Amino acid sequence: MPTTDLWNQPASTDSRDAVQAYERAVLATLEYRSSANDHVKAALAADPGFALAHCFKGYQYLLLGTGGTVAKARQAADSAKAQHDRLNDRERGHVAALASWAEGDVVGAATIWQRIVRAYPHDLLALRLHHLNAFWRGREDALTEGPAESLRAWTPDLPGYGSVLGMLAFGLEESGERRRAEAYARQAVQHAPDDLWALHALAHVLEMDERFQEGCDLIPLRQPAWDDRNPFKNHVWWHRALYAVELGRDAEVLQLYDAHLAPGARPFYLDVQNAASLLARLQFLGIDPGARWQALVAPVQALADDFNGAFTEPHKVLALAAAGELAAAERLADGTLTRMKRAGLRDPALAQVLDGLCRAIVAFYRGDAEDALELLGPIRGDLWRLGGSRAQRDVFEQLAIEAALQASPEVDGRALLARREILRPNSRLVKTATAG
């Protein structure tokens, strides 16, 4: 007969060991622990027919952000579907969501996760996936919607409560509600000090508030407690580096880059985002990153034939173009929409933004700032479609400013700088540009 989990939700398995391993997998995922996959394997070892564990396995493959694991995700979905007759509605929802996502239908998957969360507000897996899906689609409303709707069913004694607060905090921050976001983020960190997403939410508040020294204090330079975390920890280090950039601690920035942000030979897509974005920010400030751009070429080329999400693609183009590999960058930009279609994404509005941005990056590094500015003009207000956060997308706003300063300094350059000075009065980019 069904066994209930920590959150009193029925699971279609007779194995208590399988359910407990699944619980550990969920909590490990919330804390970005590299042990999550081991717990999923343990759940399937305890009950090879445990559909939720098969779904979890499939989700983990898709979270890697590469087409190379889609077939394995589909296999996991098929294994879960084979248990259809023994599943409850919540579990069937997960099977359907996984199948939709594996076919590239991220909107369909998000709709199913939302339906699960509304019926089962303690389903942390559905809530987290809905939240991350909203993040990579630029849906600020949905980022807040899921955790806000489910929070009323939670109490502080339930495992995962702090993580729900952290998701709500991040959604509020991205919606511009930074005061409320900070309050929830601090509660989240208090309840779940090991939850990197909660810490990340607070890091975003401090970044957007330009409270850079507080950000440095929030993320000390030594974090041995993160040794067992997955690559998301490097993105938190990226935030630490952003504070140092604004404070003018350039040597510290490069040390952080070399220690935590430089991608290895087998890069994770987020590694490329972090690295290219940080080096571009330094470059726009006139800081020479040395051979670091060139060192990015091989990791990016390893991902060149893959579609790693709409937000990653322009970072790949940026890395190659800035390294002087303009022909390779142009080829990558030319093939972006083909790779997007191959991944199953059918979104004309997103395609227009993605194509325009990639071509603008190539134009800028080719030395044609006027062309770059012209390409950026129609899409700047729609960059949210790429996904990512406001802080992450800011690198493309900085690119627009640099292009404007080169192409039309007295008109467009002044206009964009004036806007940034209002929005971010302590921006080092503004101070550097106006100092000359």
Side-chain angles (χ1 to χ4, degrees):
M1 44 186 302
T3 307
T4 56
D5 62 20
L6 272 172
W7 304 278
N8 201 34
Q9 299 172 129
S12 297
T13 177
D14 295 330
S15 171
R16 167 52 58 184
D17 288 342
V19 171
Q20 289 178 339
Y22 174 82
E23 293 165 352
R24 289 192 291 271
V26 170
L27 295 174
T29 296
L30 294 173
E31 296 180 355
Y32 289 93
R33 295 190 184 276
S34 55
S35 60
N37 287 335
D38 292 335
H39 296 313
V40 173
K41 290 177 182 177
L44 288 171
D47 180 359
F50 187 17
L52 269 180
H54 282 293
C55 287
F56 208 136
K57 181 179 178 180
Y59 288 147
Q60 293 290 81
Y61 281 130
L62 295 177
L63 285 168
L64 292 174
T66 171
T69 59
V70 171
K72 292 181 179 180
R74 289 171 178 161
Q75 291 173 3
D78 290 341
S79 297
K81 285 178 186 177
Q83 307 298 321
H84 181 273
D85 291 344
R86 66 187 283 200
L87 305 185
N88 58 46
D89 288 343
R90 179 173 70 99
E91 293 164 329
R92 288 172 183 163
H94 274 290
V95 175
L98 173 59
S100 294
W101 191 10
E103 296 303 321
D105 184 7
V106 292
V107 176
T111 300
I112 297 169
W113 288 320
Q114 183 182 59
R115 187 162 62 242
I116 293 172
V117 170
R118 286 177 174 173
Y120 303 93
H122 293 132
D123 191 321
L124 281 169
L125 183 59
L127 178 61
R128 182 52 150 238
L129 291 169
H130 180 267
H131 189 69
L132 291 178
N133 179 285
F135 174 72
W136 289 120
R137 290 194 296 130
R139 289 290 304 275
E140 296 175 356
D141 55 337
L143 275 172
T144 306
E145 190 173 71
E149 290 177 352
S150 66
L151 186 60
R152 73 188 74 181
W154 284 80
T155 54
D157 59 299
L158 285 172
Y161 173 73
S163 297
V164 178
L165 293 177
M167 284 184 267
L168 178 58
F170 184 75
L172 288 169
E173 184 278 323
E174 286 300 291
S175 299
E177 297 286 344
R178 293 203 293 273
R179 296 286 70 75
R180 293 177 182 172
E182 181 172 359
Y184 279 110
R186 292 196 181 279
Q187 290 180 56
V189 171
Q190 180 179 1
H191 280 280
D194 291 327
D195 188 328
L196 289 189
W197 192 258
L199 180 70
H200 172 252
L202 184 52
H204 269 268
V205 170
L206 299 179
E207 166 67 22
M208 300 308 289
D209 268 357
E210 299 189 298
R211 293 152 63 185
F212 304 126
Q213 185 55 53
E214 286 185 59
C216 291
D217 296 339
L218 175 70
I219 308 170
L221 289 176
R222 294 187 179 182
Q223 284 288 357
W226 294 355
D227 289 347
D228 66 338
R229 307 306 178 92
N230 72 26
F232 182 73
K233 66 184 177 184
N234 298 328
H235 180 67
V236 181
W237 285 120
W238 176 82
H239 279 278
R240 178 62 171 77
L242 290 192
Y243 305 134
V245 167
E246 296 295 341
L247 291 170
R249 301 176 186 173
D250 299 335
E252 181 180 302
V253 174
L254 294 175
Q255 289 171 1
L256 283 165
Y257 180 92
D258 293 338
H260 302 293
L261 302 179
R266 299 179 62 186
F268 185 49
Y269 70 90
L270 189 58
D271 297 335
V272 171
Q273 294 176 16
N274 294 333
S277 176
L278 184 62
L279 293 184
R281 283 167 161 84
L282 293 176
Q283 188 177 62
F284 297 153
L285 290 169
I287 299 163
D288 182 5
R292 292 175 180 84
W293 277 126
Q294 285 67 38
L296 259 183
V297 172
V300 170
Q301 292 285 33
L303 301 176
D305 295 331
D306 202 358
F307 184 78
N308 306 108
F311 193 66
T312 308
E313 293 301 301
H315 287 85
K316 290 157 61 175
V317 175
L318 172 61
L320 293 179
E325 300 288 341
L326 287 171
E330 191 163 4
R331 286 194 300 272
L332 196 64
D334 288 343
T336 295
L337 298 188
T338 298
R339 293 191 300 277
M340 177 180 166
K341 291 177 182 177
R342 195 166 61 216
L345 292 180
R346 302 290 187 269
D347 186 337
L350 171 60
Q352 181 181 9
V353 172
L354 184 55
D355 184 62
L357 178 58
C358 288
R359 293 186 186 282
I361 292 168
V362 173
F364 177 80
Y365 282 96
R366 193 175 56 225
D368 193 344
E370 290 185 7
D371 190 21
L373 194 60
E374 185 175 345
L375 286 163
L376 287 168
I379 64 172
R380 277 183 59 225
D382 289 326
L383 290 178
W384 62 268
R385 295 184 185 277
L386 297 170
S389 67
R390 295 187 180 198
Q392 288 174 298
R393 292 192 298 270
D394 186 55
V395 71
F396 303 126
E397 180 66 18
Q398 293 186 36
L399 174 71
I401 292 171
E402 288 297 303
L405 288 172
Q406 292 181 28
S408 176
E410 296 303 318
V411 180
D412 296 310
R414 281 188 176 183
L416 295 191
L417 279 175
R419 176 179 181 272
R420 187 172 185 84
E421 190 169 15
I422 293 295
L423 294 174
R424 297 180 68 95
N426 295 311
S427 168
R428 187 177 172 192
L429 184 67
V430 172
K431 294 175 182 176
T432 300
T434 55

